[in-house]
């Protein structure tokens, strides 16, 4: 089963050239999304924020070329773990979140304006239909 998260793009980083310890050069680009859940019944945003940074590496950097702040995206990723023994003999465990796909679900231009509905409600006069 694939792992994925849907969220609103907060920031898209610029491409960076990274050189590993072995001298191999590769490109890295980051995307920061807000995947904080909403209650499906009330529409209220969860008080527990879930903002995630994904680092796309190598050929996968191209996935971010047409992504803009405010777009709703689905990021597919894999979770990998590794173990490292330091010079002091201590074991260290690392978990890596490796994104491999990105799909734009909704662009900012196609999204309905948030305050359009509230503006329409404000323009309508309030009616008091109370019997007393």
């Amino acid at each position: 089963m694939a792992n994925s998260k849907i969220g609103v793009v907060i920031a898209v980083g610029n491409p960076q050239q990274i050189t590993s310890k072995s001298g191999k050069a590769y490109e890295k680009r980051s995307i920061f999304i807000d995947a904080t859940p909403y209650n499906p019944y009330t529409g209220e945003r969860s008080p527990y924020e879930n903002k995630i940074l994904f680092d796309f590496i190598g050929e996968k950097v191209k996935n971010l070329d047409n992504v803009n702040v405010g777009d709703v995206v689905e990021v597919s990723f894999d979770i990998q773990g590794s173990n490292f023994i330091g010079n002091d003999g201590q074991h260290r465990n690392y978990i890596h979140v490796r994104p491999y796909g990105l799909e734009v679900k909704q662009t900012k231009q196609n999204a309905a304006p948030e305050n359009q509905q509230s503006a329409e409600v404000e323009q309508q006069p309030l009616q008091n239909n109370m019997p007393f």
Side-chain angles (χ1 to χ4, degrees):
M1 177 180 220
N3 296 306
S4 66
K5 273 293 184 186
I6 296 177
V8 177
V9 176
I10 299 170
V12 180
N14 293 323
Q16 300 174 349
Q17 294 295 326
I18 307 292
T19 305
S20 66
K21 290 181 183 178
S22 64
K24 181 180 176 185
Y26 59 93
E27 194 173 27
K28 175 180 116 170
R29 192 168 182 193
S30 302
I31 185 171
F32 194 45
I33 68 168
D34 183 356
T36 303
Y38 286 82
N39 183 315
Y41 302 109
T42 65
E44 292 179 14
R45 182 178 163 97
S46 172
Y48 307 105
E49 288 190 344
N50 188 17
K51 296 181 179 178
I52 307 167
L53 179 71
F54 291 101
D55 290 326
F56 284 79
I57 299 173
E59 294 178 8
K60 295 172 182 67
V61 169
K62 294 182 289 188
N63 290 334
L64 300 179
D65 287 345
N66 297 320
V67 176
N68 299 304
V69 172
D71 290 351
V72 177
V73 297
E74 180 175 8
V75 180
S76 301
F77 61 92
D78 189 25
I79 299 175
Q80 299 174 340
S82 61
N83 186 6
F84 175 76
I85 301 173
N87 292 337
D88 56 0
Q90 290 205 355
H91 290 266
R92 292 178 179 84
N93 295 308
Y94 296 95
I95 298 172
H96 308 280
V97 177
R98 310 273 171 135
Y100 59 84
L102 183 133
E103 180 183 351
V104 177
K105 296 289 192 179
Q106 184 177 28
T107 62
K108 186 176 182 180
Q109 292 80 16
N110 293 341
E114 292 178 15
N115 45 359
Q116 181 181 9
Q117 184 180 10
S118 62
E120 291 173 3
V121 172
E122 290 175 11
Q123 292 174 358
Q124 296 175 357
L126 297 175
Q127 297 177 357
N128 188 351
N129 293 335
M130 300 296 278
F132 48 90

PDB file of all heavy atoms in Angstrom, residues 98-131:
ATOM      1  N   ARG A  98      10.868   9.437   1.767  1.00  0.00           N
ATOM      2  CA  ARG A  98      11.332   9.666   0.397  1.00  0.00           C
ATOM      3  C   ARG A  98      10.151   9.829  -0.547  1.00  0.00           C
ATOM      4  O   ARG A  98       9.505   8.842  -0.906  1.00  0.00           O
ATOM      5  CB  ARG A  98      12.194   8.500  -0.078  1.00  0.00           C
ATOM      6  CG  ARG A  98      13.287   8.103   0.865  1.00  0.00           C
ATOM      7  CD  ARG A  98      14.522   8.922   0.627  1.00  0.00           C
ATOM      8  NE  ARG A  98      15.477   8.644   1.693  1.00  0.00           N
ATOM      9  CZ  ARG A  98      16.744   8.433   1.514  1.00  0.00           C
ATOM     10  NH1 ARG A  98      17.231   8.468   0.315  1.00  0.00           N
ATOM     11  NH2 ARG A  98      17.529   8.207   2.538  1.00  0.00           N
ATOM     12  N   PRO A  99       9.841  11.064  -0.951  1.00  0.00           N
ATOM     13  CA  PRO A  99       8.736  11.254  -1.894  1.00  0.00           C
ATOM     14  C   PRO A  99       9.140  10.784  -3.289  1.00  0.00           C
ATOM     15  O   PRO A  99      10.284  10.949  -3.704  1.00  0.00           O
ATOM     16  CB  PRO A  99       8.503  12.759  -1.868  1.00  0.00           C
ATOM     17  CG  PRO A  99       9.805  13.338  -1.456  1.00  0.00           C
ATOM     18  CD  PRO A  99      10.448  12.330  -0.557  1.00  0.00           C
ATOM     19  N   TYR A 100       8.198  10.159  -3.987  1.00  0.00           N
ATOM     20  CA  TYR A 100       8.490   9.698  -5.344  1.00  0.00           C
ATOM     21  C   TYR A 100       7.453  10.172  -6.354  1.00  0.00           C
ATOM     22  O   TYR A 100       7.636   9.994  -7.554  1.00  0.00           O
ATOM     23  CB  TYR A 100       8.603   8.177  -5.396  1.00  0.00           C
ATOM     24  CG  TYR A 100       7.374   7.433  -4.960  1.00  0.00           C
ATOM     25  CD1 TYR A 100       6.328   7.186  -5.836  1.00  0.00           C
ATOM     26  CD2 TYR A 100       7.254   6.970  -3.656  1.00  0.00           C
ATOM     27  CE1 TYR A 100       5.197   6.506  -5.430  1.00  0.00           C
ATOM     28  CE2 TYR A 100       6.131   6.282  -3.242  1.00  0.00           C
ATOM     29  CZ  TYR A 100       5.116   6.051  -4.130  1.00  0.00           C
ATOM     30  OH  TYR A 100       3.995   5.375  -3.709  1.00  0.00           O
ATOM     31  N   GLY A 101       6.386  10.781  -5.904  1.00  0.00           N
ATOM     32  CA  GLY A 101       5.368  11.255  -6.832  1.00  0.00           C
ATOM     33  C   GLY A 101       4.612  12.431  -6.264  1.00  0.00           C
ATOM     34  O   GLY A 101       4.540  12.618  -5.048  1.00  0.00           O
ATOM     35  N   LEU A 102       4.069  13.239  -7.170  1.00  0.00           N
ATOM     36  CA  LEU A 102       3.284  14.387  -6.760  1.00  0.00           C
ATOM     37  C   LEU A 102       2.214  14.627  -7.808  1.00  0.00           C
ATOM     38  O   LEU A 102       2.486  14.616  -9.001  1.00  0.00           O
ATOM     39  CB  LEU A 102       4.169  15.627  -6.634  1.00  0.00           C
ATOM     40  CG  LEU A 102       3.443  16.869  -6.135  1.00  0.00           C
ATOM     41  CD1 LEU A 102       4.254  17.540  -5.048  1.00  0.00           C
ATOM     42  CD2 LEU A 102       3.183  17.819  -7.260  1.00  0.00           C
ATOM     43  N   GLU A 103       0.973  14.795  -7.340  1.00  0.00           N
ATOM     44  CA  GLU A 103      -0.143  15.083  -8.230  1.00  0.00           C
ATOM     45  C   GLU A 103      -0.847  16.345  -7.733  1.00  0.00           C
ATOM     46  O   GLU A 103      -1.207  16.431  -6.555  1.00  0.00           O
ATOM     47  CB  GLU A 103      -1.125  13.912  -8.238  1.00  0.00           C
ATOM     48  CG  GLU A 103      -2.314  14.122  -9.136  1.00  0.00           C
ATOM     49  CD  GLU A 103      -3.311  12.972  -9.068  1.00  0.00           C
ATOM     50  OE1 GLU A 103      -3.003  11.931  -8.452  1.00  0.00           O
ATOM     51  OE2 GLU A 103      -4.403  13.137  -9.622  1.00  0.00           O
ATOM     52  N   VAL A 104      -1.017  17.308  -8.639  1.00  0.00           N
ATOM     53  CA  VAL A 104      -1.742  18.528  -8.289  1.00  0.00           C
ATOM     54  C   VAL A 104      -3.227  18.205  -8.372  1.00  0.00           C
ATOM     55  O   VAL A 104      -3.745  17.850  -9.427  1.00  0.00           O
ATOM     56  CB  VAL A 104      -1.375  19.691  -9.230  1.00  0.00           C
ATOM     57  CG1 VAL A 104      -2.203  20.923  -8.891  1.00  0.00           C
ATOM     58  CG2 VAL A 104       0.106  20.005  -9.135  1.00  0.00           C
ATOM     59  N   LYS A 105      -3.917  18.291  -7.253  1.00  0.00           N
ATOM     60  CA  LYS A 105      -5.353  18.003  -7.189  1.00  0.00           C
ATOM     61  C   LYS A 105      -6.190  19.222  -7.548  1.00  0.00           C
ATOM     62  O   LYS A 105      -7.265  19.102  -8.119  1.00  0.00           O
ATOM     63  CB  LYS A 105      -5.749  17.519  -5.786  1.00  0.00           C
ATOM     64  CG  LYS A 105      -5.118  16.204  -5.390  1.00  0.00           C
ATOM     65  CD  LYS A 105      -5.733  15.095  -6.178  1.00  0.00           C
ATOM     66  CE  LYS A 105      -5.334  13.747  -5.617  1.00  0.00           C
ATOM     67  NZ  LYS A 105      -5.941  12.657  -6.347  1.00  0.00           N
ATOM     68  N   GLN A 106      -5.715  20.398  -7.141  1.00  0.00           N
ATOM     69  CA  GLN A 106      -6.451  21.632  -7.393  1.00  0.00           C
ATOM     70  C   GLN A 106      -5.450  22.784  -7.379  1.00  0.00           C
ATOM     71  O   GLN A 106      -4.658  22.912  -6.453  1.00  0.00           O
ATOM     72  CB  GLN A 106      -7.513  21.848  -6.318  1.00  0.00           C
ATOM     73  CG  GLN A 106      -8.398  23.046  -6.548  1.00  0.00           C
ATOM     74  CD  GLN A 106      -9.471  23.144  -5.469  1.00  0.00           C
ATOM     75  OE1 GLN A 106      -9.282  22.700  -4.345  1.00  0.00           O
ATOM     76  NE2 GLN A 106     -10.592  23.720  -5.816  1.00  0.00           N
ATOM     77  N   THR A 107      -5.494  23.610  -8.423  1.00  0.00           N
ATOM     78  CA  THR A 107      -4.603  24.765  -8.458  1.00  0.00           C
ATOM     79  C   THR A 107      -5.254  25.927  -7.729  1.00  0.00           C
ATOM     80  O   THR A 107      -6.475  25.971  -7.577  1.00  0.00           O
ATOM     81  CB  THR A 107      -4.273  25.180  -9.904  1.00  0.00           C
ATOM     82  OG1 THR A 107      -5.489  25.549 -10.556  1.00  0.00           O
ATOM     83  CG2 THR A 107      -3.586  24.064 -10.651  1.00  0.00           C
ATOM     84  N   LYS A 108      -4.448  26.850  -7.328  1.00  0.00           N
ATOM     85  CA  LYS A 108      -4.958  28.005  -6.594  1.00  0.00           C
ATOM     86  C   LYS A 108      -5.928  28.805  -7.452  1.00  0.00           C
ATOM     87  O   LYS A 108      -6.924  29.312  -6.974  1.00  0.00           O
ATOM     88  CB  LYS A 108      -3.804  28.884  -6.140  1.00  0.00           C
ATOM     89  CG  LYS A 108      -4.221  30.029  -5.263  1.00  0.00           C
ATOM     90  CD  LYS A 108      -3.019  30.790  -4.768  1.00  0.00           C
ATOM     91  CE  LYS A 108      -3.455  31.902  -3.838  1.00  0.00           C
ATOM     92  NZ  LYS A 108      -2.309  32.659  -3.347  1.00  0.00           N
ATOM     93  N   GLN A 109      -5.672  28.889  -8.772  1.00  0.00           N
ATOM     94  CA  GLN A 109      -6.537  29.643  -9.665  1.00  0.00           C
ATOM     95  C   GLN A 109      -7.906  28.987  -9.802  1.00  0.00           C
ATOM     96  O   GLN A 109      -8.902  29.659  -9.979  1.00  0.00           O
ATOM     97  CB  GLN A 109      -5.911  29.759 -11.063  1.00  0.00           C
ATOM     98  CG  GLN A 109      -4.663  30.607 -11.108  1.00  0.00           C
ATOM     99  CD  GLN A 109      -3.423  29.856 -10.642  1.00  0.00           C
ATOM    100  OE1 GLN A 109      -3.420  28.637 -10.562  1.00  0.00           O
ATOM    101  NE2 GLN A 109      -2.372  30.579 -10.309  1.00  0.00           N
ATOM    102  N   ASN A 110      -7.968  27.645  -9.725  1.00  0.00           N
ATOM    103  CA  ASN A 110      -9.234  26.924  -9.872  1.00  0.00           C
ATOM    104  C   ASN A 110     -10.020  26.839  -8.572  1.00  0.00           C
ATOM    105  O   ASN A 110     -11.167  26.435  -8.573  1.00  0.00           O
ATOM    106  CB  ASN A 110      -8.991  25.514 -10.393  1.00  0.00           C
ATOM    107  CG  ASN A 110      -8.462  25.519 -11.810  1.00  0.00           C
ATOM    108  OD1 ASN A 110      -8.600  26.505 -12.529  1.00  0.00           O
ATOM    109  ND2 ASN A 110      -7.841  24.430 -12.210  1.00  0.00           N
ATOM    110  N   ALA A 111      -9.386  27.197  -7.475  1.00  0.00           N
ATOM    111  CA  ALA A 111     -10.065  27.098  -6.179  1.00  0.00           C
ATOM    112  C   ALA A 111     -11.107  28.205  -6.058  1.00  0.00           C
ATOM    113  O   ALA A 111     -10.921  29.322  -6.515  1.00  0.00           O
ATOM    114  CB  ALA A 111      -9.053  27.210  -5.040  1.00  0.00           C
ATOM    115  N   ALA A 112     -12.224  27.885  -5.430  1.00  0.00           N
ATOM    116  CA  ALA A 112     -13.271  28.891  -5.199  1.00  0.00           C
ATOM    117  C   ALA A 112     -12.771  29.882  -4.165  1.00  0.00           C
ATOM    118  O   ALA A 112     -12.162  29.494  -3.176  1.00  0.00           O
ATOM    119  CB  ALA A 112     -14.540  28.215  -4.707  1.00  0.00           C
ATOM    120  N   PRO A 113     -13.023  31.156  -4.371  1.00  0.00           N
ATOM    121  CA  PRO A 113     -12.596  32.142  -3.368  1.00  0.00           C
ATOM    122  C   PRO A 113     -13.250  31.852  -2.025  1.00  0.00           C
ATOM    123  O   PRO A 113     -14.453  31.620  -1.949  1.00  0.00           O
ATOM    124  CB  PRO A 113     -13.083  33.469  -3.935  1.00  0.00           C
ATOM    125  CG  PRO A 113     -13.338  33.222  -5.390  1.00  0.00           C
ATOM    126  CD  PRO A 113     -13.665  31.764  -5.520  1.00  0.00           C
ATOM    127  N   GLU A 114     -12.441  31.888  -0.976  1.00  0.00           N
ATOM    128  CA  GLU A 114     -12.945  31.529   0.354  1.00  0.00           C
ATOM    129  C   GLU A 114     -13.962  32.537   0.862  1.00  0.00           C
ATOM    130  O   GLU A 114     -14.928  32.172   1.502  1.00  0.00           O
ATOM    131  CB  GLU A 114     -11.769  31.437   1.328  1.00  0.00           C
ATOM    132  CG  GLU A 114     -10.846  30.287   1.045  1.00  0.00           C
ATOM    133  CD  GLU A 114      -9.675  30.268   1.998  1.00  0.00           C
ATOM    134  OE1 GLU A 114      -9.732  30.965   3.031  1.00  0.00           O
ATOM    135  OE2 GLU A 114      -8.715  29.551   1.724  1.00  0.00           O
ATOM    136  N   ASN A 115     -13.739  33.807   0.600  1.00  0.00           N
ATOM    137  CA  ASN A 115     -14.621  34.807   1.181  1.00  0.00           C
ATOM    138  C   ASN A 115     -15.753  35.204   0.241  1.00  0.00           C
ATOM    139  O   ASN A 115     -16.491  36.104   0.540  1.00  0.00           O
ATOM    140  CB  ASN A 115     -13.842  36.027   1.652  1.00  0.00           C
ATOM    141  CG  ASN A 115     -12.819  36.481   0.650  1.00  0.00           C
ATOM    142  OD1 ASN A 115     -12.669  35.873  -0.407  1.00  0.00           O
ATOM    143  ND2 ASN A 115     -12.098  37.525   0.992  1.00  0.00           N
ATOM    144  N   GLN A 116     -15.905  34.527  -0.900  1.00  0.00           N
ATOM    145  CA  GLN A 116     -17.013  34.845  -1.799  1.00  0.00           C
ATOM    146  C   GLN A 116     -18.342  34.485  -1.132  1.00  0.00           C
ATOM    147  O   GLN A 116     -19.274  35.261  -1.155  1.00  0.00           O
ATOM    148  CB  GLN A 116     -16.872  34.099  -3.123  1.00  0.00           C
ATOM    149  CG  GLN A 116     -17.996  34.407  -4.098  1.00  0.00           C
ATOM    150  CD  GLN A 116     -17.841  33.637  -5.402  1.00  0.00           C
ATOM    151  OE1 GLN A 116     -17.004  32.763  -5.507  1.00  0.00           O
ATOM    152  NE2 GLN A 116     -18.661  33.964  -6.367  1.00  0.00           N
ATOM    153  N   GLN A 117     -18.413  33.314  -0.525  1.00  0.00           N
ATOM    154  CA  GLN A 117     -19.650  32.883   0.122  1.00  0.00           C
ATOM    155  C   GLN A 117     -19.970  33.788   1.314  1.00  0.00           C
ATOM    156  O   GLN A 117     -21.102  34.197   1.495  1.00  0.00           O
ATOM    157  CB  GLN A 117     -19.531  31.433   0.581  1.00  0.00           C
ATOM    158  CG  GLN A 117     -20.822  30.907   1.164  1.00  0.00           C
ATOM    159  CD  GLN A 117     -20.689  29.452   1.613  1.00  0.00           C
ATOM    160  OE1 GLN A 117     -19.600  28.912   1.657  1.00  0.00           O
ATOM    161  NE2 GLN A 117     -21.795  28.843   1.934  1.00  0.00           N
ATOM    162  N   SER A 118     -18.963  34.127   2.113  1.00  0.00           N
ATOM    163  CA  SER A 118     -19.222  34.970   3.275  1.00  0.00           C
ATOM    164  C   SER A 118     -19.650  36.369   2.835  1.00  0.00           C
ATOM    165  O   SER A 118     -20.441  37.009   3.498  1.00  0.00           O
ATOM    166  CB  SER A 118     -17.997  35.034   4.179  1.00  0.00           C
ATOM    167  OG  SER A 118     -16.913  35.606   3.482  1.00  0.00           O
ATOM    168  N   ALA A 119     -19.144  36.863   1.695  1.00  0.00           N
ATOM    169  CA  ALA A 119     -19.553  38.175   1.203  1.00  0.00           C
ATOM    170  C   ALA A 119     -21.016  38.156   0.783  1.00  0.00           C
ATOM    171  O   ALA A 119     -21.749  39.105   1.022  1.00  0.00           O
ATOM    172  CB  ALA A 119     -18.669  38.599   0.034  1.00  0.00           C
ATOM    173  N   GLU A 120     -21.456  37.060   0.172  1.00  0.00           N
ATOM    174  CA  GLU A 120     -22.850  36.941  -0.237  1.00  0.00           C
ATOM    175  C   GLU A 120     -23.766  36.898   0.980  1.00  0.00           C
ATOM    176  O   GLU A 120     -24.829  37.493   0.983  1.00  0.00           O
ATOM    177  CB  GLU A 120     -23.048  35.692  -1.082  1.00  0.00           C
ATOM    178  CG  GLU A 120     -22.389  35.768  -2.451  1.00  0.00           C
ATOM    179  CD  GLU A 120     -22.452  34.453  -3.201  1.00  0.00           C
ATOM    180  OE1 GLU A 120     -23.062  33.503  -2.669  1.00  0.00           O
ATOM    181  OE2 GLU A 120     -21.894  34.385  -4.286  1.00  0.00           O
ATOM    182  N   VAL A 121     -23.341  36.251   2.021  1.00  0.00           N
ATOM    183  CA  VAL A 121     -24.141  36.156   3.238  1.00  0.00           C
ATOM    184  C   VAL A 121     -24.242  37.526   3.891  1.00  0.00           C
ATOM    185  O   VAL A 121     -25.296  37.924   4.355  1.00  0.00           O
ATOM    186  CB  VAL A 121     -23.540  35.126   4.211  1.00  0.00           C
ATOM    187  CG1 VAL A 121     -24.241  35.171   5.548  1.00  0.00           C
ATOM    188  CG2 VAL A 121     -23.636  33.731   3.613  1.00  0.00           C
ATOM    189  N   GLU A 122     -23.145  38.293   3.890  1.00  0.00           N
ATOM    190  CA  GLU A 122     -23.154  39.601   4.528  1.00  0.00           C
ATOM    191  C   GLU A 122     -24.069  40.579   3.793  1.00  0.00           C
ATOM    192  O   GLU A 122     -24.638  41.468   4.399  1.00  0.00           O
ATOM    193  CB  GLU A 122     -21.738  40.160   4.579  1.00  0.00           C
ATOM    194  CG  GLU A 122     -20.851  39.425   5.556  1.00  0.00           C
ATOM    195  CD  GLU A 122     -19.415  39.907   5.506  1.00  0.00           C
ATOM    196  OE1 GLU A 122     -19.153  40.945   4.858  1.00  0.00           O
ATOM    197  OE2 GLU A 122     -18.566  39.255   6.104  1.00  0.00           O
ATOM    198  N   GLN A 123     -24.235  40.426   2.484  1.00  0.00           N
ATOM    199  CA  GLN A 123     -25.045  41.347   1.715  1.00  0.00           C
ATOM    200  C   GLN A 123     -26.535  41.120   1.930  1.00  0.00           C
ATOM    201  O   GLN A 123     -27.332  42.014   1.732  1.00  0.00           O
ATOM    202  CB  GLN A 123     -24.726  41.209   0.223  1.00  0.00           C
ATOM    203  CG  GLN A 123     -23.326  41.690  -0.115  1.00  0.00           C
ATOM    204  CD  GLN A 123     -22.972  41.405  -1.556  1.00  0.00           C
ATOM    205  OE1 GLN A 123     -23.752  40.813  -2.296  1.00  0.00           O
ATOM    206  NE2 GLN A 123     -21.783  41.805  -1.963  1.00  0.00           N
ATOM    207  N   GLN A 124     -26.928  39.935   2.351  1.00  0.00           N
ATOM    208  CA  GLN A 124     -28.334  39.650   2.560  1.00  0.00           C
ATOM    209  C   GLN A 124     -28.754  40.185   3.931  1.00  0.00           C
ATOM    210  O   GLN A 124     -28.081  39.976   4.930  1.00  0.00           O
ATOM    211  CB  GLN A 124     -28.587  38.142   2.516  1.00  0.00           C
ATOM    212  CG  GLN A 124     -28.288  37.520   1.168  1.00  0.00           C
ATOM    213  CD  GLN A 124     -28.433  36.008   1.214  1.00  0.00           C
ATOM    214  OE1 GLN A 124     -28.693  35.440   2.252  1.00  0.00           O
ATOM    215  NE2 GLN A 124     -28.272  35.380   0.071  1.00  0.00           N
ATOM    216  N   PRO A 125     -29.887  40.894   3.989  1.00  0.00           N
ATOM    217  CA  PRO A 125     -30.349  41.398   5.290  1.00  0.00           C
ATOM    218  C   PRO A 125     -30.816  40.235   6.165  1.00  0.00           C
ATOM    219  O   PRO A 125     -31.374  39.251   5.686  1.00  0.00           O
ATOM    220  CB  PRO A 125     -31.505  42.327   4.928  1.00  0.00           C
ATOM    221  CG  PRO A 125     -31.961  41.893   3.576  1.00  0.00           C
ATOM    222  CD  PRO A 125     -30.762  41.299   2.893  1.00  0.00           C
ATOM    223  N   LEU A 126     -30.573  40.355   7.437  1.00  0.00           N
ATOM    224  CA  LEU A 126     -31.015  39.335   8.376  1.00  0.00           C
ATOM    225  C   LEU A 126     -32.514  39.464   8.597  1.00  0.00           C
ATOM    226  O   LEU A 126     -33.048  40.557   8.752  1.00  0.00           O
ATOM    227  CB  LEU A 126     -30.278  39.482   9.707  1.00  0.00           C
ATOM    228  CG  LEU A 126     -28.767  39.272   9.645  1.00  0.00           C
ATOM    229  CD1 LEU A 126     -28.152  39.570  10.998  1.00  0.00           C
ATOM    230  CD2 LEU A 126     -28.452  37.850   9.229  1.00  0.00           C
ATOM    231  N   GLN A 127     -33.192  38.340   8.597  1.00  0.00           N
ATOM    232  CA  GLN A 127     -34.636  38.332   8.809  1.00  0.00           C
ATOM    233  C   GLN A 127     -34.933  37.677  10.139  1.00  0.00           C
ATOM    234  O   GLN A 127     -34.375  36.643  10.480  1.00  0.00           O
ATOM    235  CB  GLN A 127     -35.324  37.565   7.679  1.00  0.00           C
ATOM    236  CG  GLN A 127     -35.135  38.193   6.328  1.00  0.00           C
ATOM    237  CD  GLN A 127     -35.765  37.387   5.234  1.00  0.00           C
ATOM    238  OE1 GLN A 127     -36.315  36.314   5.471  1.00  0.00           O
ATOM    239  NE2 GLN A 127     -35.694  37.884   4.002  1.00  0.00           N
ATOM    240  N   ASN A 128     -35.842  38.259  10.847  1.00  0.00           N
ATOM    241  CA  ASN A 128     -36.227  37.718  12.137  1.00  0.00           C
ATOM    242  C   ASN A 128     -37.582  37.016  11.949  1.00  0.00           C
ATOM    243  O   ASN A 128     -38.609  37.660  11.855  1.00  0.00           O
ATOM    244  CB  ASN A 128     -36.319  38.831  13.181  1.00  0.00           C
ATOM    245  CG  ASN A 128     -36.531  38.278  14.554  1.00  0.00           C
ATOM    246  OD1 ASN A 128     -36.771  37.080  14.732  1.00  0.00           O
ATOM    247  ND2 ASN A 128     -36.475  39.154  15.541  1.00  0.00           N
ATOM    248  N   ASN A 129     -37.548  35.702  11.867  1.00  0.00           N
ATOM    249  CA  ASN A 129     -38.767  34.917  11.688  1.00  0.00           C
ATOM    250  C   ASN A 129     -39.238  34.311  13.002  1.00  0.00           C
ATOM    251  O   ASN A 129     -39.987  33.344  13.010  1.00  0.00           O
ATOM    252  CB  ASN A 129     -38.537  33.801  10.660  1.00  0.00           C
ATOM    253  CG  ASN A 129     -38.315  34.356   9.274  1.00  0.00           C
ATOM    254  OD1 ASN A 129     -38.775  35.456   8.980  1.00  0.00           O
ATOM    255  ND2 ASN A 129     -37.617  33.597   8.451  1.00  0.00           N
ATOM    256  N   MET A 130     -38.815  34.854  14.090  1.00  0.00           N
ATOM    257  CA  MET A 130     -39.183  34.320  15.393  1.00  0.00           C
ATOM    258  C   MET A 130     -40.618  34.706  15.702  1.00  0.00           C
ATOM    259  O   MET A 130     -41.050  35.833  15.459  1.00  0.00           O
ATOM    260  CB  MET A 130     -38.269  34.880  16.487  1.00  0.00           C
ATOM    261  CG  MET A 130     -36.801  34.554  16.264  1.00  0.00           C
ATOM    262  SD  MET A 130     -36.452  32.801  16.332  1.00  0.00           S
ATOM    263  CE  MET A 130     -36.342  32.570  18.057  1.00  0.00           C
ATOM    264  N   PRO A 131     -41.453  33.799  16.236  1.00  0.00           N
ATOM    265  CA  PRO A 131     -42.853  34.074  16.508  1.00  0.00           C
ATOM    266  C   PRO A 131     -43.063  35.003  17.705  1.00  0.00           C
ATOM    267  O   PRO A 131     -44.174  35.453  17.950  1.00  0.00           O
ATOM    268  CB  PRO A 131     -43.452  32.696  16.767  1.00  0.00           C
ATOM    269  CG  PRO A 131     -42.327  31.856  17.193  1.00  0.00           C
ATOM    270  CD  PRO A 131     -41.113  32.410  16.518  1.00  0.00           C
TER     271      PRO A 131
END
